[in-house]
Amino acid sequence: MSESRKLHVGAAQLGPIAKDESRAAVVERLIALLHQGASVGCELVVFPELALTTFFPRWFTDDIAGHDHYYEQSMPSAETQPLFDAAKELGVGFALGYAELTEPDAEGVIHRYNTTVLVERDGSIVGKFRKVHIPGHEADEPWRPFQHLERRYFEESSEGFPVWRCFDSIVGMATCNDRRWPETYREMGLQGVEMVLIGYNTPIHYAPDPGQNALQGFHNHLCMQAGAYQNGTWVVGVAKGGTEEGVESLAQSCIIAPSGQIVAQAVTTGDELISAIADLDWCNHYKETLFDFARYRRPELYQRITSQKGVIKPPADSGDASS
Ligand code: CDV
């Protein structure tokens, strides 16, 4: 019988990053976590969304360029090169979330994305994922105790959810709010994904509906566990947790099996590495039975999912559809 494929993966949760913490200091923290990962045998370590800076979309600036010092103009940069060097030296790959400022495009336009770079064990870049579902708001909303201006500081990606053959597996990525949307996982599930890497910054206080505050941890796990199970894939969810610049964010980083079960979970709200040996062939138990897409899906009946954005209710006088 052939041996099953295994990938030892680490989730490197970060505690808060202060506004005045230097990139060099943050990269040192990341390298320490990478070393921890190497010492327990990890081949891949996943860092959170926007892992190089404080979560700057909580502050409004009139001139967006006033926040450009929070973005990376190249990857690796001089400041992140030591992380790439450590990865190569240790033979441990990583995924790292950061704010990306692009070169001018053909029309001379610079773009800002909420990006994650995936790096192989030899330090080479496998690919980049740019966040698709950008939450929050565009304009100043001073009524909030803190703001969530991602829609001001980041463009929505139009590149969708690619997957890559790497780490002897099929790997995809998503970023924070992307994890709440079933389409995220299904897009990758339809490409045979075996491991989805997700970094997040989730403030506990949700200003538009504070009734959801107490459910943040539940909803975090609910959506990632469902995504894992319904697509027969591993999911690695990694937080920047703790109280950063006065804002408390959810921790509870976790590694989820294709069964939907959490097999490892962080117990602190600070820098913490958890890991699991992911049996990639376990994915097939779900991909080849209940979620055998080729056999059971009915895409001809799912037209609304790609043709329609918002809700269109039946006309008020249409009666009870079930009668
Ligand atoms: N960084 C995020 O995308 N945060 C969102 C919040 C705003 C709801 C999240 O989905 O956790």
Side-chain angles (χ1 to χ4, degrees):
M1 230 166 77
S2 65
E3 285 232 337
S4 62
R5 290 173 305 131
K6 299 220 164 60
L7 174 59
H8 195 156
V9 65
Q13 177 176 284
L14 287 177
I17 299 177
K19 202 174 181 179
D20 59 2
E21 193 166 336
S22 69
R23 291 283 204 294
V26 177
V27 169
E28 259 180 49
R29 286 167 62 182
L30 303 180
I31 291 174
L33 286 160
L34 201 69
H35 275 273
Q36 272 187 49
S39 71
V40 296
C42 289
E43 299 155 272
L44 168 63
V45 167
V46 184
F47 296 110
E49 173 191 37
L50 299 178
L52 292 171
T53 64
T54 199
F55 191 79
F56 62 88
R58 70 171 67 96
W59 294 295
F60 177 79
T61 49
D62 256 332
D63 175 16
I64 291 177
H67 270 12
D68 277 357
H69 58 285
Y70 288 120
Y71 293 73
E72 311 303 310
Q73 298 192 25
S74 60
M75 189 55 66
S77 56
E79 285 145 323
T80 51
Q81 185 63 51
L83 180 64
F84 283 73
D85 295 342
K88 187 172 174 183
E89 180 200 318
L90 297 168
V92 181
F94 65 88
L96 174 73
Y98 65 99
E100 177 189 9
L101 194 65
T102 70
E103 293 282 317
D105 65 15
E107 280 81 48
V109 180
I110 287 168
H111 301 273
R112 293 173 177 79
Y113 295 108
N114 188 337
T115 298
T116 300
V117 64
L118 180 59
V119 176
E120 254 290 4
R121 292 156 283 194
D122 62 359
S124 64
I125 290 178
V126 175
K128 278 182 189 175
F129 168 77
R130 291 168 171 160
K131 188 170 181 175
V132 170
H133 300 96
I134 307 287
H137 49 109
E138 293 86 358
D140 193 15
E141 295 191 9
W143 61 270
R144 294 174 182 249
F146 56 89
Q147 309 215 22
H148 199 103
L149 287 153
E150 277 196 69
R151 294 185 71 81
R152 182 172 190 81
Y153 297 117
F154 298 117
E155 277 175 53
E156 294 171 328
S157 161
S158 55
E159 294 164 2
F161 296 96
V163 301
W164 291 268
R165 282 192 184 273
C166 55
F167 296 94
D168 308 308
S169 177
I170 301 178
V171 179
M173 295 183 272
T175 303
C176 196
N177 189 254
D178 289 323
R179 78 194 188 287
R180 300 187 192 271
W181 300 86
E183 294 85 352
T184 294
Y185 306 91
R186 186 49 52 89
E187 273 291 309
M188 291 187 266
L190 284 165
Q191 299 170 78
V193 77
E194 295 173 319
M195 186 172 284
V196 179
L197 316 177
I198 305 175
Y200 60 90
N201 281 265
T202 297
I204 301 287
H205 179 68
Y206 184 60
D209 180 16
Q212 295 180 32
N213 295 0
L215 299 172
Q216 291 290 4
F218 168 64
H219 289 155
N220 179 45
H221 287 161
L222 177 71
C223 55
M224 292 194 292
Q225 289 181 262
Y229 167 63
Q230 291 167 346
N231 294 279
T233 180
W234 288 85
V235 170
V236 183
V238 192
K240 172 131 71 67
T243 302
E244 185 181 271
E245 299 295 339
V247 176
E248 188 189 0
S249 288
L250 184 73
Q252 300 187 5
S253 302
C254 60
I255 300 175
I256 302 164
S259 59
Q261 293 165 290
I262 294 176
V263 298
Q265 185 176 323
V267 293
T268 72
T269 57
D271 290 12
E272 178 181 349
L273 183 106
I274 57 170
S275 79
I277 298 172
D279 179 349
L280 300 167
D281 290 328
W282 192 357
C283 299
N284 293 335
H285 286 267
Y286 294 88
K287 290 185 192 295
E288 291 173 1
T289 60
L290 276 164
F291 297 109
D292 179 345
F293 290 170
R295 184 168 186 192
Y296 296 120
R297 286 184 77 248
R298 302 288 311 281
E300 71 278 16
L301 301 180
Y302 309 152
Q303 307 289 325
R304 287 187 187 87
I305 289 176
T306 53
S307 66
Q308 183 178 320
K309 188 167 177 183
V311 173
I312 302 174
K313 293 183 182 174
D317 60 358
S318 66
D320 179 355
S322 64
S323 60

